[in-house]
Amino acid sequence: MGIVQRQGIRNTLISYVGLAIGFANTILILPRLLTSSQIGLTAGVLVPLATIGAQMAAFGFASAGMRYFPFFRNQGRNHGGFFPLLLGPPLLGFCVVALLMWLGKPLVLQWYAKGDDAALLAAHYAVAIGLAGCIMLGSLQDAYLKSLFHTSFSSFAQEILLRLMLVGAAVAYSQHYISFHGFVLAYTGAYAVVAVLLAIYLAAIGELHLRPTRAALRIKPLGEMLGFGGFMLLSNISGTVLLNIDTLLVGTKLSLAAAGIYLIATNISTALVLPFRALYKTAFSLIAEYWKEGDMAKMADFYRRSTRINTLLGCYLALGIGLNLDFIYGLVHRPEYAAGSVAVLLLLAGRLVDGITGVNGIIVATSPRYRFDLVFNISLAAAVVGLNWVLIPRMGLAGAALAYCLALVSINVARTWFVWRSYGLQPFDGRILRILAVAAVAGTTAWLMPDTANSWLNLLLRGGTLTVLYAAGVLLTRTAPELISLIKALKARWNGA
């Protein structure tokens, strides 16, 4: 087994463990230990501001580093001075971004001028600048380690250790060991610890080369790397805007408490996309290989199968979450968070459509017309910003979720049409309609189940009804041949035993 395969297996395991810890933190632990305003401040404002600042400062050099490192690899013991070149322009960019963030402080505080929000943000605003630097350094070192095929420790530090440190800081605050300001500093300190640990790991494997050399500029011109980095910045920043702008605008137009409630709603709906993300990790390299081989038949088959699997899992998870929202919010033990219930349903709808439309975005991103992916991403970001600006003042949290839903549906319709028009590929067949029909019947029947006084009994009754009817419908309508083949294989193995 090669190093890349070993690292891939480890990263997959680390990713799933990290996702489980993250889900438990954001749904079960942090809402019990922090108020909605505190969650809105830290995870809803400071982290998004810092993330955007870090991406602006790095200027796409994390992606550029992975793109150009093969030209530097083995160019002497220090890879031709690559690491200092990777860090240099972003560090200069961070100085500019830090200055802009500080000068822009009055404007940002003016956006949050409702109640005590401005005072709360003002007391901790400087933390966002330091946090941006920590996030930037962590992402650059992570890109360097990926280029060196040393990814497991970085994944562990960012997916598991970071999340454990964050919840540890929250526990320390809830037990009155530290003040809330101390918690915010510890929150930033967790990201700083990750950046320092990555540097220590680089030193341990003999790859922490910090001395700059002129030879680096002769291997690849800095202008070429800046040009590629600028292109990647535009692409990456649109994704960052998509993930963070709704929470930021909820905070500015409503309150930090509303931002915290909306963030929890977003995290609940994120459970729907976990199987999609697992599929996409494999899909990117597979589809890129199909393009390289010019094998459109295999790509069309993968497009259809991945869409069918996403629809099958997505409908079940969306219905399971939606039908049991009362139970999920009951685990939080803070009734104010239940105000995000409608937002969860709208977010689930948008993310389900995103999954059902399959891997259209990956097909565009890896195709000869890959530049259109940037057009779609920027259009999506612009749509999210515009719709949020209009809908949040009118509909509150539901407006933010509806904006996200409408933007996702619109961009996926456009991408699906583009792939069909450009390459003659579309993922839908009669099986998709049968899955949707089965989901509608199973979901409606589970919803009509009588409400009991016990939340656990409600979960068992609705969840059990949904599971039995959905599984039976899928098997009877033969919409999932992969599932039927798996059952037959298990039966054969059981009989053979």
Side-chain angles (χ1 to χ4, degrees):
M1 185 183 295
I3 183 173
V4 176
Q5 189 175 0
R6 289 197 303 271
Q7 296 276 333
I9 294 173
R10 292 172 187 167
N11 290 340
T12 300
L13 293 174
I14 290 170
S15 177
Y16 280 115
V17 173
L19 287 172
I21 294 173
F23 185 79
N25 283 354
T26 54
I27 304 302
L28 304 178
I29 300 176
L30 294 182
R32 296 188 181 199
L33 304 180
L34 303 171
T35 67
S36 54
S37 294
Q38 291 169 339
I39 292 177
L41 172 70
T42 52
V45 177
L46 296 181
V47 172
L49 282 177
T51 301
I52 294 173
Q55 287 202 346
M56 295 294 292
F59 202 75
F61 256 55
S63 299
M66 290 186 286
R67 167 68 176 81
Y68 286 103
F69 181 74
F71 296 96
F72 292 80
R73 189 191 303 274
N74 300 325
Q75 296 281 342
R77 183 177 174 275
N78 64 345
H79 303 294
F82 174 80
F83 192 47
L85 180 63
L86 178 67
L87 294 178
L91 288 173
L92 292 175
F94 176 71
C95 294
V96 176
V97 168
L99 179 61
L100 291 175
M101 290 179 71
W102 183 253
L103 293 177
K105 179 179 178 180
L107 177 61
V108 175
L109 294 182
Q110 186 177 348
W111 294 342
Y112 292 90
K114 295 180 177 64
D116 297 328
D117 288 353
L120 183 62
L121 179 57
H124 307 98
Y125 181 83
V127 171
I129 301 175
L131 184 58
C134 296
I135 292 174
M136 183 194 74
L137 288 174
S139 67
L140 291 171
Q141 292 181 100
D142 177 61
Y144 183 44
L145 285 166
K146 286 178 180 176
S147 300
L148 294 167
F149 304 122
H150 286 271
T151 57
S152 296
F153 181 78
S154 178
S155 295
F156 167 78
Q158 297 182 91
E159 300 286 344
I160 295 179
L161 183 60
L162 175 63
R163 288 174 169 138
L164 292 176
M165 287 191 290
L166 294 180
V167 77
V171 170
Y173 167 68
S174 69
Q175 297 300 312
H176 308 292
Y177 293 118
I178 56 176
S179 65
F180 179 68
H181 184 67
F183 165 74
V184 175
L185 292 177
Y187 201 98
T188 304
Y191 286 86
V193 168
V194 169
V196 171
L197 287 176
L198 293 183
I200 293 173
Y201 180 75
L202 282 170
I205 64 174
E207 296 290 359
L208 187 65
H209 310 295
L210 297 176
R211 181 178 296 178
T213 64
R214 293 183 180 179
L217 300 177
R218 292 194 295 268
I219 297 173
K220 271 295 174 182
L222 181 60
E224 181 178 343
M225 295 182 66
L226 288 170
F228 181 82
F231 178 83
M232 294 308 300
L233 170 64
L234 290 174
S235 181
N236 294 338
I237 202 69
S238 60
T240 302
V241 168
L242 173 64
L243 292 174
N244 296 297
I245 194 63
D246 47 356
T247 306
L248 284 171
L249 288 178
V250 166
T252 60
K253 294 187 174 296
L254 299 178
S255 66
L256 288 179
I261 293 171
Y262 184 77
L263 189 66
I264 297 302
T266 301
N267 290 333
I268 292 173
S269 69
T270 300
L272 173 62
V273 306
L274 297 185
F276 304 161
R277 290 177 180 174
L279 174 68
Y280 295 158
K281 287 181 179 180
T282 306
F284 198 96
S285 57
L286 275 176
I287 293 174
E289 188 66 25
Y290 295 150
W291 279 118
K292 179 183 176 182
E293 297 173 354
D295 198 334
M296 302 302 289
K298 285 186 178 179
M299 190 183 304
D301 180 63
F302 182 79
Y303 196 11
R304 285 191 297 268
R305 286 189 294 109
S306 62
T307 295
R308 186 169 65 249
I309 292 170
N310 279 0
T311 305
L312 189 68
L313 295 175
C315 287
Y316 177 71
L317 289 174
L319 288 170
I321 296 170
L323 289 168
N324 295 288
L325 270 182
D326 290 342
F327 174 82
I328 294 172
Y329 275 115
L331 296 176
V332 177
H333 288 298
R334 285 183 183 266
E336 66 266 26
Y337 287 103
S341 297
V342 175
V344 174
L345 297 176
L346 290 169
L347 291 168
L348 286 173
R351 286 176 162 164
L352 180 59
V353 171
D354 188 40
I356 289 177
T357 49
V359 292
N360 51 33
I362 298 176
I363 291 176
V364 176
T366 55
S367 75
R369 307 181 74 181
Y370 68 91
R371 287 183 175 84
F372 279 90
D373 186 53
L374 175 61
V375 175
F376 285 121
N377 286 335
I378 292 178
S379 300
L380 178 58
V384 169
V385 173
L387 288 169
N388 271 287
W389 201 269
V390 173
L391 294 176
I392 290 176
R394 291 167 173 79
M395 300 175 62
L397 300 181
L402 179 60
Y404 187 89
C405 178
L406 291 175
L408 273 185
V409 171
S410 300
I411 204 68
N412 276 290
V413 169
R415 277 186 181 139
T416 302
W417 175 86
F418 179 83
V419 171
W420 172 71
R421 181 72 175 175
S422 300
Y423 305 110
L425 301 174
Q426 67 88 16
F428 305 113
D429 56 23
R431 287 172 176 165
I432 301 297
L433 292 177
R434 293 202 296 271
I435 293 173
L436 294 176
V438 168
V441 172
T444 301
T445 306
W447 178 64
L448 291 173
M449 288 292 103
D451 191 14
T452 70
N454 189 296
S455 61
W456 287 94
L457 186 58
N458 283 338
L459 173 68
L460 182 62
L461 184 62
R462 291 173 182 167
T465 301
L466 173 67
T467 300
V468 171
L469 292 180
Y470 192 74
V474 167
L475 292 174
L476 290 174
T477 56
R478 306 184 72 84
T479 54
E482 297 88 355
L483 181 60
I484 295 173
S485 299
L486 177 62
I487 292 175
K488 289 181 178 179
L490 291 174
K491 282 184 177 179
R493 183 175 296 180
W494 177 266
N495 294 331

